[in-house]
Amino acid sequence: MSPLHHKIISISPLKQIETEALLGAMEMVSYAKNAILFDTDKVERYVYFIEKGIARAYCNTHKQQATFWFGQEGDIILSYNSYIKEKPGYEIVELLEASQLLRISHQTLQGLYSKHIGLANWGRKLAELELIKTEERFINQQFKTATERYAELIRETPTLIQRVQLTHIASYLGVSPVTLSRIRAGLK
Amino acid sequence: MSPLHHKIISISPLKQIETEALLGAMEMVSYAKNAILFDTDKVERYVYFIEKGIARAYCNTHKQQATFWFGQEGDIILSYNSYIKEKPGYEIVELLEASQLLRISHQTLQGLYSKHIGLANWGRKLAELELIKTEERFINQQFKTATERYAELIRETPTLIQRVQLTHIASYLGVSPVTLSRIRAGLK
DNA sequence: ATCATTTCTTAACATTTGTAAAGTATAAAA
DNA sequence: TTTTATACTTTACAAATGTTAAGAAATGAT
């Protein structure tokens, strides 16, 4: 069992049969660098877990690409908007490197949720963990300065800076590339 | 069955026995105006639904009270941080009016989740819906101006402005009270 | 009703951030 | 390698926001 498999099933305690049902329903897919995984105006049919690669989610606002999420190995890629509301998502997900992803269709997952109580609680825990992450990022975004957030980013995900171009980091931090340059110059 | 009860059980399809188990485990509690519902450094034991009243969640940052959430009738009050991690939350929840809340203990809820698959999926849906809300607010916060966000707030929750003082609204929008005054003056 | 307190607005000034443009560095392509 | 394109930094200036302080409005208490 791969580290990714292990991470997926350790989200919540599962019975043997539930583990097999979940992992058995997943398949590995490969994408080239710069591939668009999700696009706006499409209802996304799959949930993905990143085995290898890096992903970026962004919205197209007034003439800008507004980056609001990065995913690396072990992270989940999921349009909750598209998934819950069964409407086209507002986000675009792009793969910044050649990537390998583990995927499972929403339809299959729904079937598993309605059959196995362990998997229903697994899905609950998954959503709850994602919610905490989003909530923490929201609070950080609103009440810390861009300088503090950049320092945190370096501390907590130092590899990200090396793998992602700074224009995307700037957008993610909610400042212009110029301001990010000034922040970086000031921290030296 | 009250409108709040109805809203709670319509989150996800439940069997009769599940509906009864969930609603039967809830109790109504009353709080005075300005009561502190959650405090930092305490692990919160209950989840609340607002029957009547209005609530505000905030963090204490460098000399500021940073408001990041308001709840009104029908909304859920839940410290996911405290709940999932079983650690003290970072947030304080204050009731801005005399309030009536429906509550259920985390412990009871966990028991229901492990017994009834319908309730496990109800809890999943609940977390997923909260996640979408948080995600949307995050994106709004990062990529819209304070003026746009204030206009949206008036459009979508007009009663909020009347029930909550503007310093809290300003904090919620991520700007100073002075800037909010300027925004309001500009929209006339 | 009157007084005291709190909240909101307005103004002046300082600071920060964005925009535009130029230059430098890096990476990709021929 | 040379050329081309892209990404990053720096500068100068404009626009927006924060801070402080003062006055107006609203609220609460006696």
Side-chain angles (χ1 to χ4, degrees):
Chain A
M1 197 176 290
S2 77
L4 181 59
H5 282 127
H6 190 265
K7 181 166 182 182
I8 289 170
I9 63 167
S10 62
I11 287 171
S12 170
L14 295 174
K15 292 181 200 146
Q16 182 67 21
I17 191 175
E18 291 171 333
T19 300
E20 285 167 9
L22 181 61
L23 297 185
M26 292 186 167
E27 58 180 334
M28 189 72 80
V29 285
S30 294
Y31 286 88
K33 182 176 178 174
N34 295 326
I36 301 294
L37 189 63
F38 296 1
D39 210 340
T40 49
D41 305 325
K42 285 186 183 176
V43 178
E44 177 54 36
R45 290 176 49 227
Y46 293 93
V47 180
Y48 301 85
F49 294 87
I50 304 177
E51 166 75 30
K52 181 79 190 69
I54 192 160
R56 171 175 86 102
Y58 63 94
C59 297
N60 282 320
T61 61
H62 344 274
K63 294 175 189 173
Q64 279 196 28
Q65 287 190 350
T67 299
F68 62 91
W69 176 85
F70 292 113
Q72 295 188 79
E73 284 77 10
D75 289 333
I76 187 172
I77 311 178
L78 166 55
S79 170
Y80 269 96
N81 192 55
S82 178
Y83 158 46
I84 305 261
K85 300 189 177 172
E86 292 176 20
K87 288 181 183 172
Y90 42 73
E91 74 269 67
I92 297 164
V93 174
E94 171 192 29
L95 298 168
L96 301 176
E97 298 175 356
S99 302
Q100 285 179 279
L101 310 177
L102 209 51
R103 79 174 184 190
I104 182 170
S105 78
H106 281 305
Q107 200 178 358
T108 304
L109 204 51
Q110 287 302 323
L112 293 175
Y113 286 159
S114 60
K115 274 199 202 75
H116 302 280
I117 191 168
L119 287 173
N121 279 301
W122 176 90
R124 177 175 59 82
K125 200 85 180 183
L126 184 67
E128 288 170 350
L129 291 171
E130 289 297 307
L131 177 55
I132 291 181
K133 278 193 221 168
T134 306
E135 206 174 68
E136 282 179 353
R137 271 194 49 222
F138 177 79
I139 291 172
N140 272 346
Q141 190 70 29
Q142 191 156 9
F143 303 116
K144 291 188 177 170
T145 65
T147 307
E148 288 172 320
R149 279 178 276 136
Y150 178 72
E152 260 181 41
L153 203 62
I154 290 181
R155 181 158 35 81
E156 285 169 24
T157 51
T159 54
L160 200 74
I161 315 288
Q162 291 151 6
R163 297 171 81 181
V164 177
Q165 67 186 49
L166 291 176
T167 48
H168 295 155
I169 302 281
S171 174
Y172 180 80
L173 294 173
V175 297
S176 70
V178 177
T179 299
L180 181 53
S181 269
R182 287 194 270 238
I183 289 169
R184 285 160 59 84
L187 293 182
K188 276 172 196 164
Chain B
M1 195 178 293
S2 76
L4 182 60
H5 281 129
H6 191 265
K7 180 166 183 181
I8 289 170
I9 64 167
S10 61
I11 287 170
S12 169
L14 295 174
K15 292 180 201 149
Q16 181 67 20
I17 192 175
E18 292 170 335
T19 299
E20 284 167 10
L22 181 62
L23 296 185
M26 291 185 166
E27 57 180 337
M28 190 72 80
V29 285
S30 292
Y31 286 88
K33 181 174 178 175
N34 295 326
I36 301 295
L37 190 64
F38 296 2
D39 210 341
T40 48
D41 306 326
K42 284 188 184 175
V43 177
E44 177 55 38
R45 291 175 48 229
Y46 293 93
V47 180
Y48 301 84
F49 294 87
I50 305 177
E51 168 74 30
K52 181 78 191 68
I54 192 160
R56 170 176 87 102
Y58 62 93
C59 297
N60 282 320
T61 63
H62 345 272
K63 294 176 189 172
Q64 279 196 24
Q65 287 190 349
T67 300
F68 61 91
W69 176 84
F70 292 112
Q72 296 187 79
E73 284 78 8
D75 289 334
I76 187 172
I77 311 178
L78 166 55
S79 170
Y80 269 96
N81 191 55
S82 177
Y83 158 46
I84 305 262
K85 300 188 176 174
E86 293 176 20
K87 286 180 184 174
Y90 42 73
E91 73 270 66
I92 297 164
V93 174
E94 173 193 28
L95 297 169
L96 301 177
E97 299 174 356
S99 302
Q100 285 178 281
L101 311 176
L102 209 51
R103 78 174 183 190
I104 182 171
S105 78
H106 281 306
Q107 201 178 358
T108 305
L109 204 51
Q110 286 302 321
L112 293 175
Y113 286 159
S114 61
K115 273 198 203 75
H116 301 281
I117 192 168
L119 287 172
N121 279 302
W122 176 89
R124 177 174 60 79
K125 201 83 180 184
L126 183 68
E128 288 170 349
L129 292 172
E130 289 297 307
L131 178 54
I132 290 181
K133 279 193 222 166
T134 306
E135 205 174 68
E136 282 180 353
R137 270 194 50 222
F138 177 79
I139 292 174
N140 272 347
Q141 190 69 28
Q142 192 157 10
F143 302 115
K144 290 188 178 169
T145 65
T147 306
E148 287 172 320
R149 278 178 276 137
Y150 178 72
E152 262 182 41
L153 202 63
I154 291 181
R155 180 156 36 82
E156 286 169 26
T157 52
T159 56
L160 200 75
I161 315 287
Q162 291 152 5
R163 298 171 79 180
V164 176
Q165 67 185 50
L166 290 176
T167 48
H168 296 154
I169 301 281
S171 174
Y172 179 81
L173 293 174
V175 297
S176 69
V178 177
T179 299
L180 180 54
S181 271
R182 286 194 271 238
I183 289 170
R184 286 159 59 84
L187 291 184
K188 277 172 196 163

